[in-house]
Amino acid sequence: NFNINNLTSNIQIHSDIVNKIDENNIGQKKDGDALITNITNVHLLIFTADCVPIAIIDKKHKAIGLSHAGWRGTYDLIAKKTIDEMIKNYNTNPDDLVCIIGPSIGPCCYEVSQELAEKFNTNFTNSTEKLYTIEDGKYKLDLWKVNEYIIKECGVKDENIINLKICTSCNSDKFHSYRKHNQTPKRIGTILQIK
């Protein structure tokens, strides 16, 4: 029963903008990097090719959110802002949420500058886990760990955070990887809907 007219995505700009989808804007594209809805059979869609897709599901209040978290979105707490909007609009309780971190570049492959790695470490100083590693003088940032930390800080239970731990770069034979595939314009689509 997939209805292409109900497929709704953003014009992704690596922001912290969360767009609420209701009866008035199904299928419209706006600038933003997260979507929320509580309408059945509306298919939320985000595109990634190394960035982190995060599905946020509230079964109790029948509401969903989908976040596109590259390093900028992650740093700007896009997952938290998506959860906050669900709390505000749908009376979501973080205790009830299930969050899924989809295929994205893993800490094994995400090489960044020392400056960016330290920027994350400074910003997320309360995290008890180290957010990057240094191998042969190369800094590798763990966006999975950062986003898990952000989601936990929102009040989501550990057991309700499902990290698929599929690295798009390591598995570039199965997934599009912006880095591995030389800045490919191709993308992975993550679709979420309430049946």
Side-chain angles (χ1 to χ4, degrees):
N1 296 325
F2 188 88
N3 181 348
I4 194 73
N5 297 320
N6 286 353
L7 187 65
T8 305
S9 60
N10 285 319
I11 300 166
Q12 294 176 187
I13 55 171
H14 294 280
S15 68
D16 64 350
I17 299 167
V18 181
N19 288 315
K20 178 185 172 188
I21 306 306
D22 56 32
E23 289 86 355
N24 302 312
N25 61 359
I26 295 168
Q28 291 177 16
K29 279 187 175 230
K30 297 185 208 165
D31 285 356
D33 287 273
L35 298 155
I36 60 169
T37 196
N38 65 347
I39 304 173
T40 56
N41 297 317
V42 169
H43 327 294
L44 304 183
L45 166 65
I46 57 166
F47 297 101
T48 57
D50 284 343
C51 293
V52 184
I54 305 168
I56 303 165
I57 302 158
D58 179 355
K59 284 187 181 179
K60 186 173 180 183
H61 294 98
K62 293 196 164 76
I64 54 173
L66 202 51
S67 301
H68 160 247
W71 77 257
R72 287 178 189 86
T74 299
Y75 189 81
D76 290 335
L77 308 174
I78 187 86
K80 178 189 184 310
K81 289 170 183 172
T82 307
I83 291 169
D84 287 347
E85 285 299 311
M86 291 175 72
I87 292 166
K88 185 172 102 181
N89 288 281
Y90 311 129
N91 205 26
T92 289
N93 181 339
D95 269 359
D96 302 323
L97 290 177
V98 173
C99 297
I100 302 162
I101 296 173
S104 40
I105 198 161
C108 43
C109 297
Y110 191 41
E111 191 183 323
V112 298
S113 68
Q114 178 181 349
E115 181 189 6
L116 187 62
E118 288 174 353
K119 186 175 171 178
F120 267 84
N121 225 44
T122 302
N123 201 44
F124 298 95
T125 49
N126 292 336
S127 174
T128 54
E129 299 181 67
K130 198 159 183 206
L131 303 175
Y132 67 87
T133 57
I134 306 168
E135 296 169 26
D136 301 323
K138 294 176 180 175
Y139 288 73
K140 292 187 176 176
L141 183 61
D142 192 340
L143 288 180
W144 295 344
K145 201 174 278 182
V146 180
N147 280 294
E148 282 179 11
Y149 170 74
I150 291 165
I151 293 165
K152 283 179 200 171
E153 285 290 294
C154 291
V156 179
K157 296 173 185 165
D158 282 14
E159 62 267 27
N160 289 347
I161 300 171
I162 301 159
N163 184 348
L164 299 182
K165 294 190 176 178
I166 299 171
C167 175
T168 44
S169 183
C170 288
N171 295 280
S172 60
D173 56 326
K174 297 182 189 81
F175 299 99
H176 300 302
S177 169
Y178 187 78
R179 288 188 166 209
K180 195 77 172 253
H181 294 139
N182 198 22
Q183 301 183 349
T184 180
K186 296 177 181 177
R187 296 291 180 265
I188 302 159
T190 302
I191 300 176
L192 189 63
Q193 78 171 71
I194 303 164
K195 287 190 172 180

